[in-house]
Amino acid sequence: MLYKFNIVLLLLVSLFLCSTNAKIIDGAKHSIRQFPKGFLFGTATASYQVEGAWDSDGKAENIWDYLTHNDPCRIKDCSNGDIANDSYNKYKRDVEMMRELGLDFYRFSLSWSRILPTSFPDKINEAGVQYYNNLIDELLKYNIEPIVTLYHWDLPQKLQELGGWTNPHIVDWYVDYARIIFENFGDRVKYWITMNEPREICYQGYGDTTMAPALNIKGIGEYLCAKNLLVAHAKVYRIYEEEFKPKYGGLIGITLSGSWTEPESEKYAEAADDVIQFEIGIYAHPIFSEAGDFPPIMKEKVAKKSATQGFYRSRLPEFTKEEIEMIRGSSDFFGLNHYSSNVAYKNESINFFDEPSSNDDLGVASYKSPDWSSSASSWLKSVPWGFYKLLKYITNNYNDPNIIITENGFSTYGGLEDDDRITYFRDYLDAMLDAIEDGCNVTAYTAWSLMDNFEWMQGYVERFGLYEVDYSSPDLTRTPRKSAFVYKNIISTRSLNHHYEPDTTVMSIDEGH
Ligand code: NOJ
């Protein structure tokens, strides 16, 4: 009798655990979860962060070369990407690591100033093209699908001097560059990403000092950048769609960064949604919503503030009707870089800045809960349920797109025993599986990063790699961390087991890779 009672109790408890999403995350930890059939796994890097060879074989200067050479100690350890991981010369070792992990795909980016040293199509640098041909061919030789980002933050310095993303002519410059890329690599690359994280490009680079070109022209620079970037992205999408897709049949989309914003309490629900509109909606609404254009709340808020501040027009530029149409639907998938979450509250007495700024336009403050576990990066705390909520939000608000997680990862200060990173990956993958079970169309996952690399303003201090890079060794030796063994197991078993303990003594390439 007691035995039967226990079984009923157990059933009731498991039913209860499965009835709330938060609980699923805890409840699943004792079980092994399978990934859906056809789900793909990869890792990512970006040109400036790993290539090095900053002026080799005809490459010209980009905005990160310029910033790190002219103001070295703006970077935490006064370092730069001159050599970085020397992937320009060590790409074969990089691909070997991907084979060790058993990756389905590798996401990397192209350096505009390596391919077009004048920034324009008048001179194509054959050595630069050759480097990417070699990398692509090496990947394909081992059945690793290349996912190629056209622009991951390293704008040619000359274009910056012409105004960069605030100059509307950049649309033509970017289109010319993209056309050369498609002509040279389109026969072998089937997945394209036009831009990596427009928000960080515009908000941090033009509206702040935390990314190159560090212009800090708040409330104006980031909005001009956003408009031109969206038009440039969409034009390239349309060109690929018309001229290259019929020949090559690839997919092309954009990668947006997105944190989840949780209201501090129910009364801040609208405020939290406003944050999401300013951070994600600014790019997602024009591309993925039914109506297109910037989010209505954003247009309203910026116009209102601009008027009270004495501007003659809204600081948020307008799209033409044709531009709205061209941008609407201009992505074959929703590329999402997700790392963390924030809590939002509203306090009318907060005076954000004396001058106009997008934070002031938004008028909502946010913070990270001290209860969330920390990484080496101040902006990155582990909040797996935020990932679940964001995936649901994207599915519900942007027409159930095919979501590709183009980045997710955790920073440490180095060391091979990276249990905190393993816990982060497992918890986030669990949350993602919950979202998939609850109807989100997530089809691929990318761990950031294959290996440690130049982490922008943080130099080589904050480490994101599955492989540790020894920057003091002449070979820039890459060594698998414990997390590399765990990720390898996830990929080979296509399942998530929180209790798997890897044997970290030997890393080898499995048959078929
Ligand atoms: C997003 C960026 O795309 C990547 O370049 C960066 O290293 C990671 N986040 C970690 O900060």
Side-chain angles (χ1 to χ4, degrees):
M1 185 63 194
L2 192 65
Y3 171 70
K4 268 196 185 153
F5 174 75
N6 277 343
I7 295 212
V8 172
L9 195 70
L10 201 71
L11 274 172
L12 281 174
V13 168
S14 9
L15 260 176
F16 173 71
L17 285 180
C18 290
S19 66
T20 73
N21 294 315
K23 291 283 163 51
I24 288 177
I25 291 166
D26 294 337
K29 286 188 180 167
H30 57 253
S31 64
I32 298 178
R33 297 180 86 179
Q34 218 49 51
F35 288 90
K37 231 174 156 240
F39 192 88
L40 300 173
F41 291 96
T43 62
T45 62
S47 44
Y48 186 75
Q49 296 181 275
V50 300
E51 281 178 9
W54 82 274
D55 64 348
S56 300
D57 297 343
K59 178 184 161 292
E61 191 182 40
N62 64 42
I63 55 174
W64 281 92
D65 296 319
Y66 182 86
L67 180 136
T68 55
H69 294 162
N70 288 287
D71 194 359
C73 291
R74 217 181 244 268
I75 309 297
K76 206 178 205 166
D77 52 1
C78 308
S79 66
N80 57 49
D82 286 3
I83 300 173
N85 297 0
D86 195 23
S87 287
Y88 188 68
N89 295 302
K90 298 191 191 314
Y91 70 92
K92 286 200 177 169
R93 169 63 182 135
D94 295 346
V95 176
E96 186 179 63
M97 283 141 59
M98 297 173 213
R99 294 168 61 209
E100 290 170 352
L101 292 171
L103 300 187
D104 300 312
F105 65 85
Y106 177 53
R107 173 179 175 236
F108 64 97
S109 77
L110 306 176
S111 158
W112 188 334
S113 63
R114 192 182 293 291
I115 295 174
L116 300 181
T118 68
S119 313
F120 303 108
D122 58 325
K123 260 198 198 90
I124 300 178
N125 179 20
E126 288 309 330
V129 172
Q130 191 57 49
Y131 166 63
Y132 293 115
N133 273 332
N134 292 344
L135 173 58
I136 291 166
D137 292 345
E138 185 77 1
L139 291 168
L140 292 175
K141 185 161 144 196
Y142 298 109
N143 290 321
I144 301 166
E145 192 75 47
I147 297 190
V148 177
T149 307
L150 295 179
Y151 183 74
H152 196 128
W153 304 358
D154 44 358
L155 193 74
Q157 175 60 21
K158 190 193 279 183
L159 298 186
Q160 194 60 57
E161 282 158 22
L162 294 168
W165 291 104
T166 61
N167 184 339
H169 288 291
I170 200 163
V171 175
D172 288 339
W173 308 334
Y174 179 69
V175 165
D176 294 346
Y177 161 62
R179 194 186 286 283
I180 286 167
I181 299 303
F182 297 146
E183 280 165 358
N184 278 278
F185 311 114
D187 57 336
R188 286 154 295 150
V189 174
K190 302 299 168 200
Y191 291 90
W192 294 102
I193 292 170
T194 55
M195 309 271 179
N196 178 68
E197 297 195 351
R199 171 167 161 89
E200 279 61 27
I201 297 169
C202 296
Y203 175 79
Q204 298 201 46
Y206 291 76
D208 209 325
T209 55
T210 47
M211 287 288 168
L215 295 185
N216 207 20
I217 306 175
K218 293 187 189 301
I220 295 172
E222 67 256 54
Y223 294 147
L224 293 175
C225 170
K227 181 193 168 177
N228 294 328
L229 187 148
L230 278 161
V231 175
H233 148 80
K235 220 167 190 169
V236 163
Y237 176 88
R238 298 296 166 204
I239 282 170
Y240 187 79
E241 189 181 39
E242 277 148 38
E243 297 173 30
F244 296 93
K245 208 180 250 184
K247 251 196 309 205
Y248 299 133
L251 295 180
I252 180 163
I254 193 165
T255 278
L256 306 184
S257 58
S259 298
W260 173 250
T261 303
E262 182 73 7
E264 188 180 69
S265 67
E266 200 34 51
K267 69 175 180 213
Y268 298 127
E270 202 180 301
D273 195 60
D274 290 354
V275 176
I276 294 178
Q277 295 306 327
F278 269 68
E279 290 183 358
I280 305 175
I282 177 174
Y283 300 102
H285 198 274
I287 300 174
F288 296 99
S289 74
E290 292 286 341
D293 202 354
F294 286 126
I297 184 71
M298 203 179 166
K299 287 168 55 174
E300 188 188 311
K301 281 190 176 233
V302 184
K304 221 170 171 177
K305 271 276 164 153
S306 303
T308 59
Q309 288 161 338
F311 287 86
Y312 288 179
R313 65 189 74 82
S314 175
R315 286 177 279 98
L316 184 68
E318 287 183 3
F319 292 114
T320 63
K321 279 212 171 66
E322 293 73 36
E323 285 168 343
I324 292 176
E325 272 317 295
M326 179 176 70
I327 299 168
R328 209 167 60 92
S330 63
S331 197
D332 295 335
F333 51 84
F334 194 121
L336 176 68
N337 287 358
H338 175 81
Y339 288 85
S340 195
S341 294
N342 297 302
V343 178
Y345 67 101
K346 207 169 163 121
N347 184 343
E348 299 297 348
S349 69
I350 293 177
N351 185 2
F352 286 88
F353 298 98
D354 289 337
E355 28 159 27
S357 74
S358 60
N359 283 342
D360 183 56
D361 295 333
L362 165 64
V364 179
S366 45
Y367 62 90
K368 293 199 181 285
S369 164
D371 300 339
W372 299 338
S373 52
S374 301
S375 69
S377 314
S378 58
W379 53 272
L380 204 180
K381 285 177 180 256
S382 178
V383 196
W385 54 262
F387 190 22
Y388 173 88
K389 288 196 174 189
L390 181 63
L391 290 170
K392 292 290 286 179
Y393 184 94
I394 291 171
T395 301
N396 295 337
N397 289 277
Y398 300 122
N399 213 6
D400 190 15
N402 170 10
I403 304 173
I404 296 183
I405 307 304
T406 42
E407 280 182 37
N408 176 241
F410 186 84
S411 60
T412 66
Y413 293 110
L416 297 178
E417 291 284 315
D418 55 346
D419 289 298
D420 289 350
R421 176 175 290 111
I422 292 170
T423 305
Y424 176 96
F425 275 134
R426 285 176 170 161
D427 290 349
Y428 272 67
L429 285 168
D430 240 340
M432 185 188 76
L433 282 171
D434 290 340
I436 294 173
E437 274 174 21
D438 291 351
C440 296
N441 185 17
V442 187
T443 55
Y445 176 88
T446 315
W448 183 272
S449 172
L450 172 65
M451 54 188 161
D452 293 338
N453 54 56
F454 179 78
E455 177 55 18
W456 310 113
M457 293 299 190
Q458 309 308 320
Y460 300 100
V461 176
E462 297 175 10
R463 307 292 189 98
F464 278 88
L466 291 169
Y467 280 71
E468 178 155 270
V469 178
D470 179 0
Y471 291 100
S472 63
S473 76
D475 275 353
L476 297 162
T477 311
R478 288 102 152 112
T479 310
R481 292 200 166 103
K482 189 172 171 187
S483 58
F485 291 89
V486 168
Y487 197 46
K488 177 186 170 100
N489 176 262
I490 289 171
I491 299 173
S492 68
T493 60
R494 304 277 151 177
S495 66
L496 181 62
N497 175 359
H498 283 270
H499 301 295
Y500 169 73
E501 264 299 317
D503 168 7
T504 57
T505 46
V506 200
M507 178 58 101
S508 55
I509 297 172
D510 294 344
E511 224 177 294
H513 298 283

